[in-house]
Amino acid sequence: MSVTLEKVDLSLKYTAYYKQVKEELFEGSSDILNAQRSKAFQSFVMQGIPTRKNEDYKYTNLHPSFAPEFAFVHSRTDEEANLQEIFRCDVPQLNTTLAFVYNGWFSKKSSAIDQLPEGVILDSLENISKERPELLSKYASLANPDEDPMVAMNTAFAKDGFFLFVPKGVVLDKAIQIINLMKGSSDLLVTQRNYICVEEGAKLQLLLCDHSENLNNYLSNSVTEVFAGSNAEVEFYALQNQHNKATSIHSVFVEQQRDSRVTTHTASLHGGLIRNNLKFILNGENCEANMYGITFLDKKQHADNFTQVIHAKPHCVSNQVYKNVLDEQSTGAFSGRIHVVRDAQKTNAFQRNNNLLLTDQATMQTKPQLIIDADDVKCSHGATVGQIDEEALFYLRARGIDEDKARLMMMNAFAHEVIQEIKLEPLRERIDELVDKRLRGELARCHECSYGKDC
Amino acid sequence: MLSIKDLYVSVEGMEILKGINLEVKPGEVHAIMGPNGSGKSTLANVLAGKEEYEVTSGSVLFDGEDLLEKAPEDRAKDGLFLSFQYPVEIPGVPMVNFLKSAVNEHRKHKGEKELTAGEFLKLMREKMDMVDMHPNLTNRSVNEGFSGGEKKKNEIFQMALLEPRLAILDETDSGLDIDALKTVANGVNALRSPERSAIVVTHYQRLLDYIVPDFVHILYKGKIVKTAGKELALELEEKGYDWIKTDN
């Protein structure tokens, strides 16, 4: 009973808040975004903040994350990036085209967008939806507010984020790195909406880094839609490296046209609560979709990777490998749904989830789900939850390698299978280092930061 | 060098070793033979420091120090080496990283400078030739996808790299063809010196044609029931273990 009450109370708090700031939300925002806003809000009112009773959120209770008194940022503030501080703090400094998003607002000023090849657009969603609404309406359609309360909330509140457009045939030789920075003097709830369109035959490597500059309660509810045109190639890396008071809810939707290849890598190194929704729709023949995830958890951290792949057309391949390393009292979840629709013959769909529990208190929930409505397909799924192989550990120790180091070698080995799939080489090396640092029990950020040890 | 006194060992409440006494002096090679289930592998594993074995009484001194209270890695660095009966596959841990770590841990322990990557590779190639290991194997993860014979050769290769003072070979000959057996034996013999000793656990006399022991012990039901020179192995080959069983 109390749970229901709490649900109502907390959801009411946010619906009341929406009504209160409605004018601010509509103000300065484009028609195209505002048109979705009211409908999405109704959808959020119907669904509320999900509890464990919501089947899709049964392993993740979001209520504690929404409990703090958050401030919102409903208009653009021009922040200066302290680059030195950011790169000192484990955001990989790579040879990329850098762009910044502050508290959900794209910063044109801080971003090196003049370096991009001609025709490539990287801009704020607010601008683009006003200046080039045709671009947005051509694509934006994947995230359905009625299917997920967090998408509904995002659509109701979002005013900005980034918009990235790579026109037909353009191959970006330099990766684009977007740093999402949370920065504020109080607890902050950030809503960010991103669109990525990679047209026919174009090629993109994109890296998103989440970072927070100080130790407030942060809640980020972001939605990213990715469109890969025919024969396009997209590598999408997300590096989640925040602190224990940060909640990150990231919903990514990907639509692929024929012969395209999209690979996502989600590296969750640090965060209080992380929920990653990832939904692929393979909407043309001969697509390849790869989804990789590596998550490290300790203390009372929680991470939930929720994936869905819809094989809507024949002759596509999807491949998922998600791994979790759970220490102390951390909890993790993986739900992977593969849906092969009727007539999507010759589908190859694979899914694997391996989990390493380092303590008796850590727990992992894993739920594969296959829905197959075609009859000539190859699908497989597998999940394991286990401890470090004691036999292997003894073998290493028997050669003179001390226990801590041997454990580290084993954990690195476990993670390596996923990390080696990162094609962006400097990133792979950097993540290898971060993982090694993380596994050594060091904070996955620098010691110069003013965070307490518990974060 | 190694002095085992009245050693009793249990596994999950079952007593496996029931009063082992064994003295290994520098330069000596001891063969331990015996029927299945007599406790040979238990002895080898207890010496290497495997945790699930419980020593209920007795003592083991290695160079005069209490071996049993040391961690497996410290025993290894002190110069004890176990060639595993079933070497485990460790996917994701590259052979080269593993071997380099092992060699450098040994060197640090001895107060020697750690080897650079280049120096290590040179050493590795040298030892690989010695045990006739295929160079491709070191590009893989530890023992991953190795055949039974390759795994055993890999054990001897590691032994050659680490140059232990006491090598314990736990049925290193099982599953080897005659050529591999000779290679393994050559590897062991190359290490023989007045300072180095070995304990060779085996079922068969065959290996002892190549690694000639100073003593042969028969382990039966957790005790050493007979000790003699190398001729005892030949006698066993001829008569089997039945006469031991009826006598004990």
Side-chain angles (χ1 to χ4, degrees), chain B residues 29-62:
Chain B
V29 171
H30 291 244
I32 296 182
M33 304 182 75
N36 289 326
S38 56
K40 301 186 301 290
S41 286
T42 299
L43 179 62
N45 281 311
V46 163
L47 294 176
K50 201 151 193 215
E51 268 161 18
E52 55 263 41
Y53 296 88
E54 193 197 343
V55 176
T56 48
S57 72
S59 69
V60 180
L61 296 181
F62 185 48

mmCIF file of all heavy atoms in Angstrom, chain B residues 29-62:
data_model
loop_
_atom_site.group_PDB
_atom_site.id
_atom_site.type_symbol
_atom_site.label_atom_id
_atom_site.label_comp_id
_atom_site.label_asym_id
_atom_site.label_seq_id
_atom_site.Cartn_x
_atom_site.Cartn_y
_atom_site.Cartn_z
ATOM 1 N N VAL B 29 66.478 -37.028 -7.296
ATOM 2 C CA VAL B 29 65.201 -37.189 -7.973
ATOM 3 C C VAL B 29 64.470 -38.363 -7.331
ATOM 4 O O VAL B 29 64.997 -39.473 -7.242
ATOM 5 C CB VAL B 29 65.394 -37.434 -9.483
ATOM 6 C CG1 VAL B 29 64.059 -37.814 -10.136
ATOM 7 C CG2 VAL B 29 65.973 -36.195 -10.145
ATOM 8 N N HIS B 30 63.280 -38.049 -6.821
ATOM 9 C CA HIS B 30 62.460 -39.086 -6.182
ATOM 10 C C HIS B 30 61.250 -39.376 -7.059
ATOM 11 O O HIS B 30 60.552 -38.445 -7.477
ATOM 12 C CB HIS B 30 61.964 -38.602 -4.815
ATOM 13 C CG HIS B 30 63.055 -38.478 -3.801
ATOM 14 N ND1 HIS B 30 63.090 -39.259 -2.664
ATOM 15 C CD2 HIS B 30 64.153 -37.677 -3.751
ATOM 16 C CE1 HIS B 30 64.180 -38.940 -1.944
ATOM 17 N NE2 HIS B 30 64.832 -37.971 -2.583
ATOM 18 N N ALA B 31 61.002 -40.643 -7.309
ATOM 19 C CA ALA B 31 59.782 -41.011 -8.025
ATOM 20 C C ALA B 31 58.758 -41.502 -7.010
ATOM 21 O O ALA B 31 59.105 -42.227 -6.075
ATOM 22 C CB ALA B 31 60.078 -42.088 -9.042
ATOM 23 N N ILE B 32 57.546 -41.066 -7.186
ATOM 24 C CA ILE B 32 56.465 -41.587 -6.338
ATOM 25 C C ILE B 32 55.480 -42.306 -7.237
ATOM 26 O O ILE B 32 54.924 -41.714 -8.170
ATOM 27 C CB ILE B 32 55.786 -40.462 -5.539
ATOM 28 C CG1 ILE B 32 56.796 -39.855 -4.570
ATOM 29 C CG2 ILE B 32 54.566 -41.005 -4.786
ATOM 30 C CD1 ILE B 32 56.272 -38.766 -3.683
ATOM 31 N N MET B 33 55.324 -43.597 -6.956
ATOM 32 C CA MET B 33 54.426 -44.406 -7.772
ATOM 33 C C MET B 33 53.344 -44.967 -6.871
ATOM 34 O O MET B 33 53.428 -44.885 -5.654
ATOM 35 C CB MET B 33 55.205 -45.525 -8.463
ATOM 36 C CG MET B 33 56.361 -44.985 -9.307
ATOM 37 S SD MET B 33 57.279 -46.257 -10.173
ATOM 38 C CE MET B 33 56.144 -46.656 -11.498
ATOM 39 N N GLY B 34 52.351 -45.533 -7.486
ATOM 40 C CA GLY B 34 51.297 -46.134 -6.671
ATOM 41 C C GLY B 34 50.021 -46.221 -7.457
ATOM 42 O O GLY B 34 49.845 -45.494 -8.445
ATOM 43 N N PRO B 35 49.107 -47.085 -7.048
ATOM 44 C CA PRO B 35 47.852 -47.251 -7.775
ATOM 45 C C PRO B 35 46.969 -46.008 -7.677
ATOM 46 O O PRO B 35 47.235 -45.108 -6.879
ATOM 47 C CB PRO B 35 47.183 -48.449 -7.096
ATOM 48 C CG PRO B 35 47.845 -48.581 -5.772
ATOM 49 C CD PRO B 35 49.197 -47.982 -5.879
ATOM 50 N N ASN B 36 45.923 -45.995 -8.486
ATOM 51 C CA ASN B 36 44.974 -44.872 -8.453
ATOM 52 C C ASN B 36 44.418 -44.674 -7.048
ATOM 53 O O ASN B 36 44.134 -45.638 -6.348
ATOM 54 C CB ASN B 36 43.792 -45.144 -9.391
ATOM 55 C CG ASN B 36 44.227 -45.065 -10.842
ATOM 56 O OD1 ASN B 36 45.099 -44.276 -11.191
ATOM 57 N ND2 ASN B 36 43.630 -45.899 -11.673
ATOM 58 N N GLY B 37 44.245 -43.438 -6.672
ATOM 59 C CA GLY B 37 43.594 -43.146 -5.399
ATOM 60 C C GLY B 37 44.472 -43.354 -4.184
ATOM 61 O O GLY B 37 43.986 -43.367 -3.056
ATOM 62 N N SER B 38 45.782 -43.487 -4.397
ATOM 63 C CA SER B 38 46.641 -43.729 -3.236
ATOM 64 C C SER B 38 47.062 -42.422 -2.566
ATOM 65 O O SER B 38 47.566 -42.438 -1.446
ATOM 66 C CB SER B 38 47.859 -44.550 -3.651
ATOM 67 O OG SER B 38 48.547 -43.889 -4.689
ATOM 68 N N GLY B 39 46.847 -41.290 -3.227
ATOM 69 C CA GLY B 39 47.152 -40.005 -2.590
ATOM 70 C C GLY B 39 48.301 -39.249 -3.232
ATOM 71 O O GLY B 39 48.763 -38.241 -2.693
ATOM 72 N N LYS B 40 48.742 -39.685 -4.412
ATOM 73 C CA LYS B 40 49.915 -39.059 -5.055
ATOM 74 C C LYS B 40 49.657 -37.600 -5.416
ATOM 75 O O LYS B 40 50.457 -36.723 -5.108
ATOM 76 C CB LYS B 40 50.296 -39.834 -6.335
ATOM 77 C CG LYS B 40 50.618 -41.289 -6.092
ATOM 78 C CD LYS B 40 51.129 -41.995 -7.343
ATOM 79 C CE LYS B 40 50.159 -41.968 -8.512
ATOM 80 N NZ LYS B 40 48.956 -42.809 -8.317
ATOM 81 N N SER B 41 48.509 -37.364 -6.080
ATOM 82 C CA SER B 41 48.208 -35.987 -6.489
ATOM 83 C C SER B 41 47.919 -35.104 -5.288
ATOM 84 O O SER B 41 48.236 -33.912 -5.289
ATOM 85 C CB SER B 41 47.020 -35.962 -7.449
ATOM 86 O OG SER B 41 47.434 -36.427 -8.702
ATOM 87 N N THR B 42 47.311 -35.699 -4.267
ATOM 88 C CA THR B 42 47.057 -34.938 -3.039
ATOM 89 C C THR B 42 48.375 -34.430 -2.467
ATOM 90 O O THR B 42 48.494 -33.249 -2.116
ATOM 91 C CB THR B 42 46.343 -35.820 -1.997
ATOM 92 O OG1 THR B 42 45.096 -36.232 -2.547
ATOM 93 C CG2 THR B 42 46.104 -35.074 -0.699
ATOM 94 N N LEU B 43 49.359 -35.291 -2.437
ATOM 95 C CA LEU B 43 50.660 -34.888 -1.915
ATOM 96 C C LEU B 43 51.231 -33.733 -2.741
ATOM 97 O O LEU B 43 51.687 -32.724 -2.187
ATOM 98 C CB LEU B 43 51.614 -36.089 -1.904
ATOM 99 C CG LEU B 43 53.038 -35.798 -1.406
ATOM 100 C CD1 LEU B 43 53.027 -35.326 0.049
ATOM 101 C CD2 LEU B 43 53.935 -37.027 -1.554
ATOM 102 N N ALA B 44 51.154 -33.872 -4.056
ATOM 103 C CA ALA B 44 51.695 -32.827 -4.930
ATOM 104 C C ALA B 44 50.972 -31.502 -4.699
ATOM 105 O O ALA B 44 51.610 -30.446 -4.579
ATOM 106 C CB ALA B 44 51.562 -33.255 -6.394
ATOM 107 N N ASN B 45 49.659 -31.564 -4.603
ATOM 108 C CA ASN B 45 48.870 -30.336 -4.434
ATOM 109 C C ASN B 45 49.054 -29.693 -3.065
ATOM 110 O O ASN B 45 49.043 -28.467 -2.946
ATOM 111 C CB ASN B 45 47.388 -30.625 -4.672
ATOM 112 C CG ASN B 45 47.067 -30.709 -6.161
ATOM 113 O OD1 ASN B 45 47.444 -29.843 -6.927
ATOM 114 N ND2 ASN B 45 46.412 -31.778 -6.562
ATOM 115 N N VAL B 46 49.194 -30.515 -2.036
ATOM 116 C CA VAL B 46 49.431 -29.969 -0.693
ATOM 117 C C VAL B 46 50.754 -29.213 -0.672
ATOM 118 O O VAL B 46 50.845 -28.118 -0.111
ATOM 119 C CB VAL B 46 49.425 -31.094 0.367
ATOM 120 C CG1 VAL B 46 50.058 -30.619 1.665
ATOM 121 C CG2 VAL B 46 48.010 -31.561 0.617
ATOM 122 N N LEU B 47 51.736 -29.776 -1.333
ATOM 123 C CA LEU B 47 53.045 -29.114 -1.344
ATOM 124 C C LEU B 47 52.976 -27.777 -2.080
ATOM 125 O O LEU B 47 53.616 -26.810 -1.686
ATOM 126 C CB LEU B 47 54.103 -30.027 -1.978
ATOM 127 C CG LEU B 47 54.420 -31.308 -1.186
ATOM 128 C CD1 LEU B 47 55.399 -32.183 -1.958
ATOM 129 C CD2 LEU B 47 54.979 -30.984 0.204
ATOM 130 N N ALA B 48 52.152 -27.713 -3.131
ATOM 131 C CA ALA B 48 52.042 -26.472 -3.896
ATOM 132 C C ALA B 48 51.140 -25.448 -3.211
ATOM 133 O O ALA B 48 51.175 -24.273 -3.543
ATOM 134 C CB ALA B 48 51.519 -26.757 -5.292
ATOM 135 N N GLY B 49 50.313 -25.913 -2.261
ATOM 136 C CA GLY B 49 49.533 -24.945 -1.473
ATOM 137 C C GLY B 49 48.076 -24.833 -1.845
ATOM 138 O O GLY B 49 47.442 -23.809 -1.579
ATOM 139 N N LYS B 50 47.520 -25.881 -2.415
ATOM 140 C CA LYS B 50 46.109 -25.822 -2.786
ATOM 141 C C LYS B 50 45.246 -25.793 -1.527
ATOM 142 O O LYS B 50 45.465 -26.551 -0.592
ATOM 143 C CB LYS B 50 45.745 -27.007 -3.662
ATOM 144 C CG LYS B 50 44.508 -26.724 -4.440
ATOM 145 C CD LYS B 50 44.481 -27.477 -5.744
ATOM 146 C CE LYS B 50 43.374 -26.874 -6.557
ATOM 147 N NZ LYS B 50 42.692 -27.855 -7.366
ATOM 148 N N GLU B 51 44.238 -24.907 -1.560
ATOM 149 C CA GLU B 51 43.552 -24.595 -0.305
ATOM 150 C C GLU B 51 42.593 -25.656 0.227
ATOM 151 O O GLU B 51 42.427 -25.790 1.430
ATOM 152 C CB GLU B 51 42.810 -23.262 -0.432
ATOM 153 C CG GLU B 51 43.679 -22.099 0.040
ATOM 154 C CD GLU B 51 43.204 -20.758 -0.479
ATOM 155 O OE1 GLU B 51 42.037 -20.675 -0.904
ATOM 156 O OE2 GLU B 51 43.998 -19.806 -0.465
ATOM 157 N N GLU B 52 41.937 -26.386 -0.684
ATOM 158 C CA GLU B 52 40.917 -27.296 -0.161
ATOM 159 C C GLU B 52 41.490 -28.524 0.575
ATOM 160 O O GLU B 52 40.743 -29.327 1.098
ATOM 161 C CB GLU B 52 39.924 -27.719 -1.241
ATOM 162 C CG GLU B 52 40.507 -28.336 -2.469
ATOM 163 C CD GLU B 52 40.685 -27.332 -3.602
ATOM 164 O OE1 GLU B 52 41.114 -26.190 -3.324
ATOM 165 O OE2 GLU B 52 40.427 -27.690 -4.757
ATOM 166 N N TYR B 53 42.829 -28.629 0.621
ATOM 167 C CA TYR B 53 43.431 -29.729 1.362
ATOM 168 C C TYR B 53 43.731 -29.281 2.785
ATOM 169 O O TYR B 53 44.367 -28.261 3.003
ATOM 170 C CB TYR B 53 44.718 -30.191 0.674
ATOM 171 C CG TYR B 53 44.453 -30.751 -0.703
ATOM 172 C CD1 TYR B 53 44.419 -29.919 -1.818
ATOM 173 C CD2 TYR B 53 44.209 -32.109 -0.880
ATOM 174 C CE1 TYR B 53 44.156 -30.421 -3.077
ATOM 175 C CE2 TYR B 53 43.940 -32.628 -2.134
ATOM 176 C CZ TYR B 53 43.922 -31.778 -3.238
ATOM 177 O OH TYR B 53 43.651 -32.290 -4.480
ATOM 178 N N GLU B 54 43.276 -30.061 3.739
ATOM 179 C CA GLU B 54 43.480 -29.678 5.121
ATOM 180 C C GLU B 54 44.551 -30.553 5.753
ATOM 181 O O GLU B 54 44.433 -31.786 5.808
ATOM 182 C CB GLU B 54 42.158 -29.831 5.893
ATOM 183 C CG GLU B 54 42.203 -29.170 7.245
ATOM 184 C CD GLU B 54 41.085 -29.665 8.154
ATOM 185 O OE1 GLU B 54 40.118 -30.263 7.633
ATOM 186 O OE2 GLU B 54 41.195 -29.488 9.379
ATOM 187 N N VAL B 55 45.604 -29.894 6.208
ATOM 188 C CA VAL B 55 46.665 -30.633 6.890
ATOM 189 C C VAL B 55 46.236 -30.808 8.340
ATOM 190 O O VAL B 55 46.069 -29.838 9.069
ATOM 191 C CB VAL B 55 48.000 -29.869 6.798
ATOM 192 C CG1 VAL B 55 49.081 -30.593 7.597
ATOM 193 C CG2 VAL B 55 48.419 -29.695 5.346
ATOM 194 N N THR B 56 46.006 -32.044 8.747
ATOM 195 C CA THR B 56 45.525 -32.266 10.120
ATOM 196 C C THR B 56 46.675 -32.439 11.100
ATOM 197 O O THR B 56 46.563 -32.069 12.256
ATOM 198 C CB THR B 56 44.567 -33.466 10.180
ATOM 199 O OG1 THR B 56 45.147 -34.565 9.492
ATOM 200 C CG2 THR B 56 43.226 -33.124 9.530
ATOM 201 N N SER B 57 47.789 -33.020 10.646
ATOM 202 C CA SER B 57 48.979 -32.994 11.492
ATOM 203 C C SER B 57 50.229 -33.242 10.665
ATOM 204 O O SER B 57 50.142 -33.590 9.491
ATOM 205 C CB SER B 57 48.860 -34.016 12.629
ATOM 206 O OG SER B 57 48.987 -35.324 12.112
ATOM 207 N N GLY B 58 51.373 -33.053 11.283
ATOM 208 C CA GLY B 58 52.627 -33.244 10.584
ATOM 209 C C GLY B 58 53.235 -31.930 10.133
ATOM 210 O O GLY B 58 52.648 -30.865 10.347
ATOM 211 N N SER B 59 54.416 -32.013 9.546
ATOM 212 C CA SER B 59 55.092 -30.785 9.133
ATOM 213 C C SER B 59 55.815 -30.982 7.799
ATOM 214 O O SER B 59 56.157 -32.109 7.432
ATOM 215 C CB SER B 59 56.103 -30.362 10.204
ATOM 216 O OG SER B 59 57.174 -31.292 10.233
ATOM 217 N N VAL B 60 55.993 -29.860 7.109
ATOM 218 C CA VAL B 60 56.803 -29.872 5.887
ATOM 219 C C VAL B 60 57.759 -28.690 5.955
ATOM 220 O O VAL B 60 57.325 -27.545 6.098
ATOM 221 C CB VAL B 60 55.931 -29.737 4.623
ATOM 222 C CG1 VAL B 60 56.817 -29.764 3.374
ATOM 223 C CG2 VAL B 60 54.890 -30.837 4.539
ATOM 224 N N LEU B 61 59.036 -29.001 5.900
ATOM 225 C CA LEU B 61 60.025 -27.929 5.873
ATOM 226 C C LEU B 61 60.645 -27.854 4.476
ATOM 227 O O LEU B 61 60.969 -28.881 3.875
ATOM 228 C CB LEU B 61 61.128 -28.178 6.903
ATOM 229 C CG LEU B 61 60.714 -28.191 8.380
ATOM 230 C CD1 LEU B 61 61.939 -28.423 9.260
ATOM 231 C CD2 LEU B 61 60.019 -26.884 8.772
ATOM 232 N N PHE B 62 60.760 -26.643 3.955
ATOM 233 C CA PHE B 62 61.433 -26.419 2.675
ATOM 234 C C PHE B 62 62.566 -25.451 2.964
ATOM 235 O O PHE B 62 62.329 -24.341 3.429
ATOM 236 C CB PHE B 62 60.429 -25.839 1.671
ATOM 237 C CG PHE B 62 60.976 -25.664 0.278
ATOM 238 C CD1 PHE B 62 61.669 -26.696 -0.357
ATOM 239 C CD2 PHE B 62 60.777 -24.481 -0.422
ATOM 240 C CE1 PHE B 62 62.157 -26.545 -1.647
ATOM 241 C CE2 PHE B 62 61.269 -24.312 -1.717
ATOM 242 C CZ PHE B 62 61.956 -25.347 -2.333
#
